[in-house]
Amino acid sequence: MALKTARGRAAATGSEPRKVLVTGGSSGIGAATAREFAARGFQVAVTGRDPGALKEVAGDTGGVSLAGDLREPGCPERIVAEAAAALGGLDIVVSNAGAGWSGQFVAMTSEEIDDLLDVNLRAGAHVAHAALAHLPPGAGHLVFVGSIAGLVGVASEAWYSATKAGLAMLADVLRAELKAEGIAVTLVTPGVVDTPYFERRNSPYVRQHPRPISAQVVAAAIVDAVERSRDAIILPGWLYVPARLKVSFPGLYRLLESRFA
C-alpha cells in the first residue's frame, strides 16, 4: 500500500517536462543519453563516480549531478531518492552503469568477478528496485542498457556476458510484472560502441569487424524507445540476425561461431 501511495504522489501532470535519472552518466552512452534527453525537453539528473565529469554533463543539460558509487551498499537507494527530490519526482530511470573485462575466465581474480557482478547486475537491480517507489503508474519507464554479449555470449568475455545476460532477463521479467501498473520496461542492446569503456577494461578493442558505433547513435535510440514505448532494441540492426539465430538455431549458431568468431 505504501508503495502505491508513493507512486501516486510521483505521477506527472502531463504538462510538465518528464523527469529522468541516468546512471553511468559521466561519459560514453550515459553522458550522450543525458544530453539527448535534455535536447528533447526532459529534466535530467545524472549519476556516476566522476564528480567533475558529472558537473560538466549537468552543465550541458541544465540538470542535476549526483556523484556516487553504485557498488556501495545504500548508494543506489540514496541516488534515486536524491534525484527524485531534486527533480520533484521521477518518470524515467535509465540503468546504464556498467563495466567490462576481457580475457580468459580462469585469469579473473575473485575481486574482479565480484566487481563486475556488482556493477553490471546488482547495482542495476538496486536502482530499479528503488525507482519503483517513485515511477508513476501508467507513465513510468525503466530502461536497462545491456550488451549483445548478454544475448549471444562472447568468447573471452564469459563473465561479462553472464552479467549482461542476467540484466536482460531481469528486464524481461520485470516487464511482465509491471505491465498491470503501466510501468514500461525497455532493454537496449548495443553491440560495440566507441566509448571510454574499452580504455577501462584490461584489453582494447582491436577487431576490424564489427566496427564500433557512436554513443550518440545509442543515446538517440534510447530516447526514441522511451518516447515510443518500445520493449527492446538492438543496435546496429543487423545484430538481430545472430541474436535470433542463437535462440532459434543454437546448433547452427555454434557452428558458425566456431568458424568465424
Side-chain angles (χ1 to χ4, degrees):
M1 182 64 68
L3 181 60
K4 291 184 178 179
T5 300
R7 291 185 189 172
R9 289 198 301 267
T13 65
S15 60
E16 299 177 354
R18 298 182 73 189
K19 305 167 179 68
V20 55
L21 168 65
V22 180
T23 73
S26 59
S27 67
I29 294 172
T33 299
R35 292 186 173 102
E36 184 68 21
F37 270 117
R40 300 198 200 185
F42 292 74
Q43 291 184 340
V44 178
V46 289
T47 186
R49 289 182 283 177
D50 186 335
L54 284 176
K55 288 181 180 179
E56 182 177 343
V57 175
D60 291 343
T61 61
V64 178
S65 65
L66 302 165
D69 187 341
L70 296 176
R71 297 172 298 178
E72 296 178 356
C75 182
E77 293 78 9
R78 174 182 66 80
I79 291 294
V80 170
E82 289 181 358
L87 297 178
L90 278 177
D91 301 300
I92 304 144
V93 172
V94 179
S95 183
N96 165 73
W101 198 96
S102 178
Q104 295 298 305
F105 179 67
V106 70
M108 295 187 77
T109 66
S110 296
E111 291 76 14
E112 288 169 334
I113 289 173
D114 289 345
D115 186 64
L116 218 62
L117 179 65
D118 287 346
V119 176
N120 291 348
L121 185 55
R122 190 180 65 82
H126 280 290
V127 167
H129 188 264
L132 292 178
H134 300 275
L135 297 179
H141 203 133
L142 279 171
V143 179
F144 294 94
V145 179
S147 167
I148 192 63
L151 299 186
V152 303
V154 174
S156 298
E157 296 185 61
W159 188 233
Y160 174 77
S161 298
T163 60
K164 287 297 188 176
L167 193 70
M169 182 58 70
L170 176 63
D172 285 344
V173 177
L174 278 182
R175 186 180 303 116
E177 286 189 7
L178 298 172
K179 183 177 180 179
E181 296 188 50
I183 305 255
V185 178
T186 297
L187 175 66
V188 177
T189 304
V192 183
V193 185
D194 185 11
T195 72
Y197 162 88
F198 290 104
E199 299 172 8
R200 292 191 288 263
R201 71 175 193 171
N202 61 316
S203 176
Y205 185 76
V206 295
R207 296 180 182 179
Q208 296 298 314
H209 185 78
R211 296 184 65 179
I213 61 175
S214 72
Q216 180 55 41
V217 167
V218 181
I222 289 172
V223 183
D224 285 344
V226 169
E227 292 184 333
R228 300 175 186 178
S229 296
R230 296 185 63 181
D231 289 345
I233 54 174
I234 298 176
L235 300 166
W238 67 265
L239 286 176
Y240 276 97
V241 176
R244 180 60 61 88
L245 191 65
K246 177 69 178 288
V247 173
S248 302
F249 303 98
L252 176 59
Y253 178 86
R254 287 193 294 270
L255 176 62
L256 293 173
E257 182 185 38
S258 66
R259 292 186 177 183
F260 301 109

